[in-house]
Amino acid sequence: MPSNSEATALAKRRLYENYKPAPFVLARGLGSQVFDVEGRRYLDLMAGVAVNAVGHAHPRLAKAIADQAHTLLHVSNYFYNEPNVRLADTLCRLSGMDRAFFCNSGTEAIEALVKLARHHFYGLGEPQRTRLVAFDHAFHGRTLGALSVTGTPKYREGFGPLGPVTHVPFADIEAVQREMTPDVAAILVEPVQGEGGVVPAPIGFLAALRDLADQAGALFLIDEVQTGVGRLGRWFGFQGSGVEPDAIAVAKGLGGGFPIGAMLVKERVAGALPPGTHGSTFGGNALASAAALAVIDILESEGLVEGARSKGQYLAARLATLVAELPDVCVAARGEGLLQGLVLREGILVRDLLPLLQERGVLLTAAGDRVLRFSPPLVVTLAELDEGVEAVRGVLGSLARNRV
Ligand SMILES: *Cc1c(COP(=O)(O)O)cnc(C)c1O
């Protein structure tokens, strides 16, 4: 194995520099831990940004992928494949939706939602309904359609013109109401804004949006890319809100690290994209489907969805204690299940803290400028959460001492 500095030197010469990765190269993982090429251990409390739901190198996920690789990888969408049909059925059972369309990422799942909304009304003879209503600081992905609904100016800048979308403040129901004119095709929302700073939707917000969409004859779409597949302590974020979306987007945790995305829809919009109108070469591939089936099977049999709720409560309490102890550096803790954020005081940038945490052997991410995000694997233990919180306490504690 090369050293970290050898491996990063080649990366700096050959990789397109649209990212700014850490100065070490990860080589293997186990559960909630990863190891770099020099053998150094890191506690992974970000899980590849809410992706590695069952942790690293889970033996049952690895075996399912290997077995399927020895059986059938890919056949195209000219044919059914058995793991894919079973996955569609399983996802519908867990979500209460009726049908699944498969793709390879979150942005593609959002792209499918946007095309579904437009084409639904085109098919109904209402082609003027093209506009979407979305929220400030929403993150929905990077392709042009998904970017048009993403509500963070720095991601959008320089890529216009983007599709007709109006962004309004998250949780501002009156602002949504003002936008619901007859050209609106759909409202799109995250149950907890992830990249936007780990901001849970207030109680009643999703139900109010559903009502506004119904009154205006528009669709109601939910982005479950970060919140779905058990992360919030329930299978999908919208569950428990009493509302039923017309369609949802799923990805990230679904494949446990294998790329797969899905759009799940209710029967009433099942005809919006008839054959020939939308598709994906790799989407619904047998290997990706087998991986997702294994992830769901592991989450169910190991009780990891209920675990995300109880461990999330534990983590939230630990973070609330940090806020009480270090009021000069952190101001609030918020989130649901195993998607939790620690809000830092104005002027402290999370991205400056991440390298300090890495030096202490803990991997975390920023959600916006000021929120330190915890999105650990659902197999994380309470001891590992303690270890992560202690590392954060260490870094924030020295910051607090330097500020006085
Ligand atoms: C990550 C994310 C996306 C985009 O998913 P990709 O797989 O990166 O394309 C979309 N929506 C939400 C809420 C996300 O967190």
Side-chain angles (χ1 to χ4, degrees), residues 354-370:
L354 298 179
L356 303 176
L357 286 163
Q358 289 162 7
E359 279 168 26
R360 289 175 187 248
V362 172
L363 307 185
L364 285 166
T365 49
D369 287 337
R370 279 176 52 206

Side-chain angles (χ1 to χ4, degrees), residues 105-108 110 139-141 190 195 223 225-226 251-252:
S105 64
T107 199
E108 285 172 79
I110 295 294
F139 185 79
H140 298 298
E190 296 161 87
E195 302 304 306
D223 182 344
V225 170
Q226 190 155 159
K252 289 209 164 93

Side-chain angles (χ1 to χ4, degrees), residues 16 25 31 72 103 151 164 251 303 313 342 377 388 392:
Y16 198 89
V25 179
L72 186 72
C103 51
Q313 282 164 355
L342 185 65
V392 171

Side-chain angles (χ1 to χ4, degrees), residues 321-331 345 392-394 396-397 400:
T321 305
L322 268 190
V323 173
E325 283 174 12
L326 298 165
D328 291 342
V329 286
C330 44
V331 296
R345 194 164 282 290
V392 171
R393 185 199 305 277
L396 294 183

Side-chain angles (χ1 to χ4, degrees), residues 277-297:
T277 56
H278 191 52
S280 162
T281 295
F282 293 127
N285 168 302
L287 185 58
S289 300
L293 277 171
V295 167
I296 292 168
D297 187 45

Side-chain angles (χ1 to χ4, degrees), residues 67-299:
D67 287 351
Q68 189 61 46
H70 283 285
T71 308
L72 186 72
L73 291 178
H74 173 89
V75 291
S76 87
N77 301 301
Y78 285 88
F79 310 96
Y80 295 122
N81 75 76
E82 204 267 327
N84 187 240
V85 178
R86 273 201 294 136
L87 178 61
D89 185 46
T90 303
L91 285 173
C92 289
R93 168 174 65 81
L94 296 173
S95 65
M97 307 301 280
D98 296 319
R99 291 178 185 273
F101 161 82
F102 290 98
C103 51
N104 313 288
S105 64
T107 199
E108 285 172 79
I110 295 294
E111 207 71 24
L113 290 189
V114 173
K115 288 183 72 175
L116 174 95
R118 293 251 192 116
H119 217 256
H120 174 70
F121 289 108
Y122 173 82
L124 290 179
E126 295 184 68
Q128 84 286 355
R129 279 197 190 262
T130 55
R131 192 158 62 93
L132 272 80
V133 173
F135 295 91
D136 293 343
H137 309 295
F139 185 79
H140 298 298
R142 305 282 197 166
T143 54
L144 285 172
L147 191 59
S148 70
V149 274
T150 287
T152 301
K154 87 171 174 211
Y155 295 146
R156 301 162 55 88
E157 206 175 297
F159 293 109
L162 296 168
V165 176
T166 307
H167 292 93
V168 300
F170 191 55
D172 185 343
I173 204 71
E174 273 150 39
V176 177
Q177 196 160 15
R178 282 194 293 274
E179 294 300 331
M180 297 309 288
T181 46
D183 62 330
V184 172
I187 301 172
L188 173 64
V189 69
E190 296 161 87
V192 176
Q193 283 197 333
E195 302 304 306
V198 191
V199 190
I203 290 167
F205 185 55
L206 298 185
L209 293 178
R210 172 82 263 185
D211 286 346
L212 287 181
D214 287 345
Q215 285 160 25
L219 298 181
F220 181 47
L221 311 174
I222 299 190
D223 182 344
E224 293 272 4
V225 170
Q226 190 155 159
T227 51
V229 202
R231 176 150 300 277
L232 301 190
R234 50 192 183 268
W235 280 102
F236 295 96
F238 76 86
Q239 292 169 330
S241 66
V243 305
E244 192 176 80
D246 295 298
I248 68 175
V250 186
K252 289 209 164 93
L254 179 58
F258 199 95
I260 180 169
M263 169 176 74
L264 308 178
V265 306
K266 292 302 290 183
E267 200 62 41
R268 72 184 84 95
V269 291
L273 294 169
T277 56
H278 191 52
S280 162
T281 295
F282 293 127
N285 168 302
L287 185 58
S289 300
L293 277 171
V295 167
I296 292 168
D297 187 45
I298 294 164
L299 294 176

